[in-house]
Amino acid sequence: MFAYLSAYRTIAVGIIILLSPFPANAAEKVWDSELRRFLKEDDFKYEEFMTEEEAVKTVLPNSKRIRKELIRLTQEKKELIEQRIGWKFPEESFELYIGETDDKIDGYAMIHNTIGKYKPMTYMVGVDARGTCTDVELLVFRDAKGSEVGRKRFNSQYDGKTVTDPIRINKDIINISGATMSVRSMSAGVKRVLVLVDEFYLKPAGVGSDSVAFRKVEKGVFSSLFGF
């Protein structure tokens, strides 16, 4: 299972790298305004923090059974997702793990690859059965800087986020100085995962963001915060 998904992930990362702002032609040069010089290939790191299998066990630790699915987006569904998250993306499918115990779904875990400043990073986002973010784990970082997004003191900010949260810098996410692009990239990815799970799993089950139960929970949180 993991070998199959790793091969799929390699293809997905390759596509994203081709679409990234860093030139495929080594002869082309990119000026970095912070470093005040042209970038070299050895400026970039390749840091692997955990394998895909380790990440799944971390994000879905209590599930007795874990199965995988591949979400395929129709053009109509893709446009709907893009409208909800506020940005366009090239991917037309995504890997997803579903953790189950007996006949109950414990949660979901999705691999994501989004571009930091120049190159994509690979991470996994965990979502519980009610659509709340439970964990974010950085698997691979490839950029020149910004790997601090993998630290728990930063990415624990995503815990408890839902589709109704902005998940943006200076709104509900505290930035990391010198790693703004990585923070923005991971935040956008977390938002996309939450919306994908909402659209493909929670809404069809009657527990998504369009359900009465969800709106009651959100209203209760709002009331507790503002005393209404």
Side-chain angles (χ1 to χ4, degrees), residues 47-66:
E47 299 178 85
E48 187 166 342
F49 297 92
M50 64 173 67
T51 65
E52 191 169 323
E53 185 174 4
E54 290 169 340
V56 171
K57 291 178 179 178
T58 299
V59 174
L60 299 169
N62 301 316
S63 297
K64 291 184 179 180
R65 181 175 66 259
I66 296 175

Side-chain angles (χ1 to χ4, degrees), residues 173-223:
I173 297 297
I174 298 173
N175 193 22
I176 299 173
S177 178
T180 298
M181 297 303 292
S182 293
V183 173
R184 186 173 295 153
S185 175
M186 182 171 280
S187 298
V190 170
K191 181 77 170 188
R192 182 169 62 179
V193 170
L194 290 170
V195 172
L196 284 166
V197 170
D198 185 49
E199 287 291 337
F200 281 89
Y201 295 93
L202 304 186
K203 282 186 175 181
V207 293
S209 59
D210 60 346
S211 67
V212 173
F214 184 90
R215 289 196 293 269
K216 283 184 177 178
V217 170
E218 291 298 311
K219 182 179 180 181
V221 171
F222 185 83
S223 298

Side-chain angles (χ1 to χ4, degrees), residues 3-32:
Y4 165 77
L5 289 177
S6 294
Y8 174 85
R9 187 182 71 189
T10 300
I11 294 171
V13 172
I15 292 171
I16 293 173
I17 288 176
L18 288 174
L19 295 172
S20 72
F22 196 76
N25 185 348
E28 296 180 47
K29 293 183 178 181
V30 173
W31 177 264
D32 187 283

Side-chain angles (χ1 to χ4, degrees), residues 115-158:
I115 295 171
K117 189 167 187 178
Y118 298 108
K119 294 192 176 185
M121 55 183 168
T122 302
Y123 51 97
M124 181 173 285
V125 180
V127 182
D128 69 16
R130 294 178 297 179
T132 301
C133 182
T134 58
D135 196 6
V136 177
E137 297 292 340
L138 182 62
L139 278 67
V140 182
F141 191 81
R142 304 173 181 84
D143 227 323
K145 58 182 178 178
S147 62
E148 295 92 340
V149 293
R151 296 175 183 172
K152 280 300 162 189
R153 66 182 183 185
F154 167 76
N155 63 37
S156 61
Q157 294 182 87
Y158 299 116

